[in-house]
Amino acid sequence: MDEQFQGPEGLVGDQAVSDISNSIGALVRSVSAERAAGVGRAGVTIEDIVREEMKPVLKAWLDTHLPSLVERMVRAEINRVIEQAQR
């Protein structure tokens, strides 16, 4: 049995990629503006700013996409197990 390896499908669609790209662009602009305001002083680091800026973006993305992503991945795994059991 010679099966060809197939890489996973993209985990996000084109619209999600575009939305994420736009969000990251906004984040980069925000960090650039913050650098001019003395980031790294008074205990605030770039990491702190990125973490805080990414939390709502990541939460929104996960709220939108995680349920269907998990469902699709579980369904694919169940189908794979069923196919193996039928051989």
Side-chain angles (χ1 to χ4, degrees):
M1 255 182 235
D2 188 0
E3 295 181 22
Q4 269 191 333
F5 174 78
Q6 288 185 334
E9 295 177 21
L11 294 179
V12 294
D14 292 338
Q15 183 61 45
V17 169
S18 177
D19 293 345
I20 292 166
S21 177
N22 290 337
S23 295
I24 290 173
L27 175 63
V28 168
R29 288 187 295 279
S30 173
V31 169
S32 295
E34 291 292 328
R35 281 186 183 165
V39 169
R41 296 187 184 138
V44 178
T45 66
I46 296 287
E47 283 183 32
D48 295 332
I49 293 169
V50 169
R51 189 174 297 116
E52 289 305 311
E53 292 293 324
M54 287 303 296
K55 278 182 184 179
V57 173
L58 183 58
K59 182 183 182 327
W61 187 90
L62 288 171
D63 288 347
T64 301
H65 300 285
L66 189 59
S68 63
L69 177 63
V70 169
E71 180 182 348
R72 191 171 67 233
M73 299 301 280
V74 168
R75 185 174 290 137
E77 185 64 15
I78 290 170
N79 287 336
R80 185 184 69 79
V81 170
I82 289 171
E83 286 175 9
Q84 281 184 344
Q86 292 175 344
R87 290 184 189 172

